[in-house]
Amino acid sequence: IAIATGGRIVPRFSELSAEKLGKAGLVREVSFGNTKERMLVIEDCANSNAVTVLVRGGNKMIVEEAKRSLHDAMCVVRNLIKDNRVVYGGGSAEIACSVAVSKHADTVAGVDQYAIRAFADALDDIPLALAENSGLSPIEEVAAAKSGQLKGDCPFIGLGITQEPTADGYHSCNMKNVGVFETLIGKQEQIQLATQVVKMILKIDDVIAPGPAQR
């Protein structure tokens, strides 16, 4: 309310003064639905950039899901403000990274090559899960998308789940043409966080398990 009206928060009434007061055009109390809950609505505030989103639903689960969706959308906008670079979705970014990491593994000698290849395989798990959750054949769809990237030298080929199948029966298509994209900063944080979690697990050299008498 202080941000919206331009006022200042004061701890005691004795400290109130004219310069600390905010401005609003209309203050009213309204009730929603058949409940006795009331809400104070402040309109025509001095700072019109501050708004409140009222989420309503048939049950608590629907309301929580709507709140989560709003939060995700606002996080995307925040990320674009911080860094307006994007990568294309549909698993195309992960597939392109997997191809690049696999090519780099060929240039590495020794056992490190196996770890690098394992990282490339882990990147494929995201488009595999996307295809599986969409009711498609995961291995075939990801293999078709990866083949499309390699043949056309186009890293934008991903899983066009909502698109019609191509002539070969797969759903791989150019995500740039479809308009599916993600923020670069969000994708970087996802991969970095997953990598850090795996590194923490690999550092565990022993596990303390309860014995038969302790169960």
Side-chain angles (χ1 to χ4, degrees):
I1 295 176
I3 295 174
T5 59
R8 290 179 58 186
I9 299 175
V10 293
R12 290 177 290 274
F13 283 103
S14 58
E15 298 180 8
L16 276 175
S17 58
E19 62 272 8
K20 296 179 182 179
L21 298 177
K23 295 180 180 179
L26 177 64
V27 179
R28 57 191 177 94
E29 189 179 55
V30 296
S31 59
F32 299 95
N34 55 4
T35 64
K36 295 182 180 180
E37 295 181 0
R38 295 182 177 273
M39 181 173 293
L40 195 65
V41 179
I42 304 174
E43 300 176 345
D44 301 328
C45 300
N47 182 12
S48 59
N49 294 327
V51 297
T52 299
V53 179
L54 176 63
V55 179
R56 300 178 64 187
N59 53 56
K60 186 176 180 180
M61 184 180 68
I62 294 177
V63 172
E64 291 299 325
E65 184 66 19
K67 287 168 61 178
R68 186 190 66 79
S69 299
L70 281 170
H71 180 267
D72 290 347
M74 288 186 288
C75 287
V76 170
V77 175
R78 178 204 61 193
N79 289 341
L80 285 173
I81 292 174
K82 293 172 63 176
D83 188 344
N84 60 4
R85 292 178 294 174
V86 299
V87 295
Y88 292 98
S92 61
E94 288 82 3
I95 294 174
C97 290
S98 175
V99 171
V101 173
S102 296
K103 289 181 179 178
H104 175 67
D106 295 334
T107 65
V108 177
V111 296
D112 290 345
Q113 181 180 140
Y114 294 96
I116 297 173
R117 290 192 185 280
F119 190 92
D121 293 338
L123 289 170
D124 285 336
D125 287 342
I126 297 177
L128 285 170
L130 177 61
E132 185 175 2
N133 292 340
S134 302
L136 304 175
S137 175
I139 297 177
E140 293 181 359
E141 291 290 342
V142 173
K146 186 175 292 187
S147 175
Q149 288 196 11
L150 293 172
K151 288 180 179 178
D153 194 21
C154 179
F156 306 148
I157 302 297
L159 305 180
I161 305 302
T162 60
Q163 306 299 310
E164 293 295 328
T166 56
D168 53 7
Y170 300 114
H171 293 75
S172 56
C173 63
N174 192 319
M175 293 290 106
K176 184 176 182 180
N177 298 335
V178 179
V180 178
F181 60 88
E182 302 177 60
T183 59
L184 174 62
I185 187 173
K187 184 63 65 180
Q188 288 175 331
E189 290 176 355
Q190 292 169 18
I191 296 177
Q192 289 173 357
L193 178 60
T195 305
Q196 290 171 2
V197 171
V198 173
K199 288 172 65 177
M200 290 176 60
I201 295 174
L202 292 175
K203 287 180 180 179
I204 300 174
D205 57 356
D206 196 4
V207 177
I208 300 175
Q214 296 176 315
R215 293 177 182 175

